[in-house]
Amino acid sequence: MSEKYMWVTCRTRMKRKCQNYESRLPDNTAVKQQQLPAFRLQLTASEILSGFFAIGLFCLGMGIILLLSAKSIKEVEINYTEKCATCAKLREEATNFDKECNCSISFYLPQKMEGNVYLYYKLYGFYQNLYRYILSRSNIQLVGADVKDVRNCAPFRTSDNGLPIAPCGAIANSMFNDTIVLWYNFNSSTHIRVPMVRTETAWWTDKYVKFQNPAFQNLSSAFAGTAKPPNWPKPVYELDENDPGNNGFINDDFIVWMRTAAFPNFKKLYRRLHRIGNFTEGLPAGSYSFIINYNFPVSRFQGQKAVVLSTLTWSGGSSLFLALTYVEP
Amino acid sequence: MFYPLLSCNQILCFPLMFPEFRRLTFYLSTHSTAKYSMWSFLPRYLYLQFSKTANAFFLFITILQQIPDVSPTGKYTTLVPLLVILVISGIKEIVEDYVSLLLVNALKNTALNNAWQMILWKEVRIDFDSISFVLFFFSEPQATCFVATSNLDGETNLKIRQALSETATMKTEKQLSNLSGKIKCEEPNFHFNSFAGTLYLNEKSPISIGPDQVLLRGTQLKNTEWILGIVVYTGFETKFMQNAVKSPLKRSKVEKVTNMQILVLFLLLLVMSLVSCVGAIYWKDRYRAEPWYIGKNYDYHSFGFDLLVFIILYHNLIPISLLVTLEIVKYIQALFINWDEDMHFKGSNVYAMARTSNLNEELGQVEYLFSDKTGTLTCNVMTFKKCSIAGITYGPHCSDPQWQFSGSWKRLISCVPFLQPTKEYIKEFLTLLCVCHTVVPEREGNNINYQASSPDEAALVKGAKKLGFVFTTRMPNSVTIEARMSIIVRTPEGRLRLYCKGADSVIYERLSENSLFVEETLVHLENFAKEGLRTLCVAYIDLTEIEYEQWLVMYKKAITVVKDRMKTLEDCYDSIEKFLLLGATAIEDRLQARVPETITSLLKANIKIWVLTGDKQETAINIAYSCKLLSGQMPRIQLNANSLEATQQVISQNCQDLGALLGKENDLALIIDDGKTLKYALHVEVRKCFLNLALSCRTVLCCRLSPLQKAEIVDVVKKQVKAITLAIGDGANDVGMIQTAHVGVGISGNEGMLATNNSDYAIAQFSYLEKLLLVHGAWNYFRVTKCILYCFYKNVVLYIIELWFAIVNGFSGQIIFERWCISLYNVIFTSLPPFTLGIFERCCSQESLLRYPQLYRISQTGDIFNIKVLWIQCINAIVHSFILFWLPAKMLEHGSNFIVFCVCVICMLLFCLQFTHFAIWGSIMIWLGFFAVYSSLWPTVPVAPEMTGQVSVAHVLCPFSLSVSYRIRNTCHRTLLEEVREMESSGVQVLRVLISVTRMFTVHIYLLTASPCFALSDGYAFSQVERAVISQEELVRSYDTTKNKPQKTFSSATLE
């Protein structure tokens, strides 16, 4: 027993408390009595069947429409991994990076491509979705806030002499750097270079929000104290010296590359047809050739690359797949 | 001021005065003591939460994520949802605890200052729920009071408590206010019958206090105007609480399956991680080294490291929000039960109460119902209905509704004034009824209310009063109490007479040879019992003065004997009890309202009903007949044996007779005559055979059981059949079985609160069981199981996509969805649909469920939720995720380059529910809103650079919106197939068959047409097929219930 006592003296003060004791009855609402009106479908057999057929018809219709629209898309894809075998061989050795290699591929366009024509490059077996690859970039650097912020860019953080790389990281370093030029062989002697626009290939938000050059009068001085990515032949501020709106971090080719692909086989927009002169209507039928400055090594990772010419419709690119999912059993 | 005293054992506090109340009852409140206090909340709560495996797992993942470079999803993406979950569930705990907190606060407020306060009982009641051990100083009229302790020890008789003589004079406040001193008492313990304390009053010698001065918590004050007392123990210190065995934590079957499934998912997670690790090794091996573009100077990660990465990557397979969702859903389901007006007993203004929410879905699976008889099936309101005096029966005929003073009752009264041969007997009989009992009269103006320890006695006294023999006052100490009851009175003429009343078997043993009417009364007793009446025999004997003196000497000696006092006393009583039989009384205990209907529909719902009663066999059988548990043509097997061998023989004989029918459900009733037979039947050797027999019967009736036997039989059945058992009862003797059964239901009736306080669900009437089981049970089962399935489904469907993605990204651990999208998926984007499923889902309407109790079998068999169904669901989810990933993947392969898809939207829609569109569209809106805001944050707020600008890319949604339309269609199909049951059940019988046949036919056609012909992508077709099959099964199953109908063969044929 504890020895703690509590002493109390008492004073009397009688006080009568009277309060109404309210019973706490639940109120009788539909929610509480679970009598909420419920909508339930009461379908009969015929309703199911008809509904089913209706949806079947809808899908069939959608499928046919999609199919037709996909069929109307003209697309040319030329895989030039094999065709430029010499160049590919050359690029297998990393030491040959400064040797130029050009490759010409001719093809015949049987039907004209009407409307806007887009030029893509397509890579097979290139895993832009590798975890560490995706992480290896500096968004703070790319938005122009701090050119020297290379924290997340391992293993392409600094150059051999210790300067921070701009743009740093594996994604930037591995940027696709073939140059593709399309020639229209009007006749055996006249070759016209097909006019292409190199801007407005990236998303608006990428170009104007996510990617910004550092605020400096002179772009090259803005990047002073940084090094170019090891794989690049020239620094970032020389990507497009003719157009200051397309140079540095806001270069469209660069931005397109930086938006990583989800799948190992992907195509990225490279150029848009500039519809002037002979090409106001689109690409006329005839003989063409691609002149490709072959820089990007793919055989080292057993990959392949291709060049794609395509038109677009409302339903997107030239994909029969969507249409087929609707139509085929 | 008594609040601070809660924790001391030696206390003195102000006496409280309770005027103006008649019956002071110290209720045990369930929330008498709050679970948490202000300070203990956090540690205690966290401990509780993390002792749950799932939460501990997520804590573990959170810790793993803190290791640098391991986590592909950032450091806090598990922590945040976990915190959200903990906060939500914490709020729920606080809300649940809030009531108790209020109580404690009220307690503090009532004890504001050091002053005496006159408090009305109504106000004090709350306090007394928790402060409950009162040492009382004094009461009236002779400083005594009567208490009933039936809630504590089950004894129904009244007991007397007397104040200390030193304080017995203190009636006025002035006297009390001058009182000052202290009380020293023993440490809290659980012995009801002992108490040791000392009262030290100023300037007086110490006075010892014994158990006679103490009112224990749980006792009921009877016919005492008021008392004055001091609180000595409070809360858990009270003997009541010290005795309260923590009622066993009951967990529902569904919960067990769910826990099992979480474990399975964890294994799946491990398997997926291992597969991914192997995949990573294979990938690295194939490319020999990392490709040039990723850089060469990277360390290879070890296998273990990769494993951790993948575990973190896939850990969301285990639904983080499931537990808290279920908790809240069940809490609300319990509220629905509490709110139900249909289960509101207007008579006593009592609502049904779900005292636990763990077992809500268990209510939908009950297969065995163990019911008490008295007070559960019957009202426990006794009325004196018939009597047999001197070989003549008095009372109304069975069919006579106007029973009370009509017919032969009048004859009985009119007999008294006339000279008839039986006149003396009738007078004696009625005098006996008036005198020989423990009833306490209570005057209120001209009325006299009777407070009785047993309703039988009150009925008899009231009956006698109606016949003109009024019992008015009682003096303490003048009543002798025993198993049978005898009383010695001195009649006005000065003669001594011994009256006795008791069970027939007891009285007949003690009749003297020259007793009359023995045979006739025996016949009458049997007749009474057959009518379902409770019988008592009454007898008397005249004593001479000498006999009495002799006996008194013997008696006084006997009560001072220390050793074997009871035995000596009994011998002493027996020595003078040689009775002359007067007659017998018969008391009716009416059935509660709608009991037969309820039992019929429960039987239709395939619930087997066992009646376990302490009453005798004839009465029990009779009640069973009147509540339609037994029917006239139902064959009965009666077990009554006196030895183990005999029992064994009878049982095996019966088993043999049943032959092939053994183990199947037969239209048989098994009646066990007494507890002794049951004891033998539950003997280890016989048990199996007995259970085989008992389980083959539709109805089992066990009579003359002790409370322990009731619990034992429930336990045995529970273990044997692996089905859900439910026990329902109202008295202290039912507590055992209520606690043993899977679900315990207490009836808040006349016999105190003990059964209610130990039950899981408390209802006021037996008939409410119908709604509780057939409607709430079935609904809750559907709700909970669907909610669980949905939670599993949505997680599996989303996170298996990660696995598919791993295949195309070289098992590098890259996430497909943005990290915060993943982590908020469970707690925000998809939080509403499970709730609405869990709260509003209805398998069919209340009316149909009540009209067709057969529908209960769907939930009862548990076929819609077991490991197999869960697996089907998982496989379904895997297939869906396959489609969800590869379909867009193939679609987008040609054109686009995203890393984040908007698949969340679709996932949310996949499994949609019927009618609460709010949840679906709400979720979508939340997602879209979040998406819009989140993707415009960068670079203002440094999060989610990869999301920037995605909103503007409208065409992402274009193909998906088509998928959305699919999903909605899917929803429709689901709804419809659910609907089948309602339709068929609400339709006319013949129509039902027709419709169902067409429907089955349709389903088949549907299956045929679905797969090959149409343009639906496989996944959707699959899901329809799957649903269709389930529903068809259900449909057929619900048909089987109409076994006697001609269409039976047809439907079973279809089943093949």
Side-chain angles (χ1 to χ4, degrees), chain B residues 713-723 725 739-742:
Chain B
I713 199 164
V714 173
D715 192 46
V716 166
V717 173
K718 187 170 121 180
K719 282 185 184 137
Q720 171 79 16
V721 295
K722 295 198 171 58
T725 56
Q739 286 188 338
T740 313
H742 289 105

Side-chain angles (χ1 to χ4, degrees), chain B residues 181-348:
Chain B
K182 63 181 178 182
I183 290 171
K184 212 173 171 181
C185 57
E186 62 182 0
E187 295 283 338
N189 60 49
F190 58 87
H191 302 291
F192 282 129
N193 297 323
S194 76
F195 179 82
T198 318
L199 172 68
Y200 300 91
L201 286 174
N202 285 359
E203 299 138 21
K204 280 185 189 166
S205 55
I207 310 152
S208 83
I209 305 167
D212 274 353
Q213 280 82 42
V214 171
L215 290 186
L216 298 176
R217 175 184 188 173
T219 52
Q220 288 180 302
L221 263 190
K222 297 276 191 180
N223 60 298
T224 303
E225 288 276 319
W226 49 275
I227 58 163
L228 285 169
I230 285 179
V231 175
V232 285
Y233 296 136
T234 57
F236 284 107
E237 292 175 346
T238 59
K239 297 193 185 244
F240 189 94
M241 293 303 280
Q242 297 265 326
N243 257 290
V245 183
K246 263 230 157 130
S247 50
L249 181 69
K250 294 180 179 175
R251 300 174 77 197
S252 76
K253 205 166 154 189
V254 167
E255 205 179 322
K256 284 176 197 154
V257 175
T258 310
N259 284 344
M260 190 66 208
Q261 186 61 13
I262 287 180
L263 210 70
V264 169
L265 274 188
F266 182 72
L267 289 181
L268 185 68
L269 165 71
L270 282 184
V271 169
M272 277 170 64
S273 303
L274 283 173
V275 165
S276 300
C277 285
V278 171
I281 290 171
Y282 169 77
W283 198 83
K284 280 172 195 158
D285 196 46
R286 187 180 144 205
Y287 288 91
R288 270 178 221 102
E290 308 258 340
W292 61 268
Y293 47 83
I294 200 158
K296 283 191 173 143
N297 47 353
Y298 243 112
D299 303 329
Y300 280 107
H301 287 149
S302 65
F303 186 82
F305 190 87
D306 272 354
L307 192 66
L308 286 187
V309 170
F310 285 114
I311 285 180
I312 293 176
L313 184 67
Y314 301 134
H315 80 269
N316 272 311
L317 261 188
I318 291 158
I320 189 171
S321 58
L322 176 66
L323 291 180
V324 68
T325 308
L326 279 185
E327 267 177 33
I328 293 174
V329 158
K330 286 182 173 183
Y331 181 68
I332 293 172
Q333 287 176 346
L335 286 182
F336 277 136
I337 293 176
N338 294 351
W339 285 331
D340 198 330
E341 277 293 328
D342 293 343
M343 297 200 290
H344 171 205
F345 186 50
K346 306 280 188 307
S348 53

Side-chain angles (χ1 to χ4, degrees), chain A residues 112-126:
Chain A
K112 66 174 178 180
M113 295 173 90
E114 272 181 296
N116 291 327
V117 179
Y118 299 87
L119 177 63
Y120 302 84
Y121 57 89
K122 186 165 187 177
L123 294 176
Y124 291 90
F126 188 100

Side-chain angles (χ1 to χ4, degrees), chain B residues 248 250 353-356 359 738 741-746 755-756 758-762:
Chain B
K250 294 180 179 175
M353 183 167 68
R355 299 184 67 254
T356 169
L359 304 171
I738 284 175
H742 289 105
V743 186
V745 177
T756 323
N758 284 288
S759 64
D760 305 307
Y761 297 90

Side-chain angles (χ1 to χ4, degrees), chain A residues 6 10-13 15-17 33-34 36 40-41 55 127 130-131 155 210 262 267 322 326, chain B residues 5 20 116 118 123 177 293 297 339 341 783 808-809 812 842 891 894 898 945 962 969 979 1015:
Chain A
M6 192 166 294
C10 309
R11 281 175 292 121
T12 313
R13 198 179 72 194
K15 196 170 128 197
R16 181 172 295 242
K17 275 190 187 170
Q33 299 308 318
Q34 306 197 64
L36 282 178
R40 325 197 100 231
L41 278 171
I55 289 156
Y127 286 80
L130 292 179
Y131 174 48
K210 272 181 86 172
K267 65 179 181 187
L322 183 61
Y326 274 95
Chain B
L5 303 177
E20 294 166 21
W116 288 71
M118 176 96 82
E123 292 161 47
S177 60
Y293 47 83
N297 47 353
W339 285 331
E341 277 293 328
R783 286 169 184 176
V808 298
N809 73 14
S812 65
R842 285 181 220 167
M891 244 152 54
H894 299 268
F898 307 104
L962 293 171
R969 207 178 65 76
E979 208 44 47

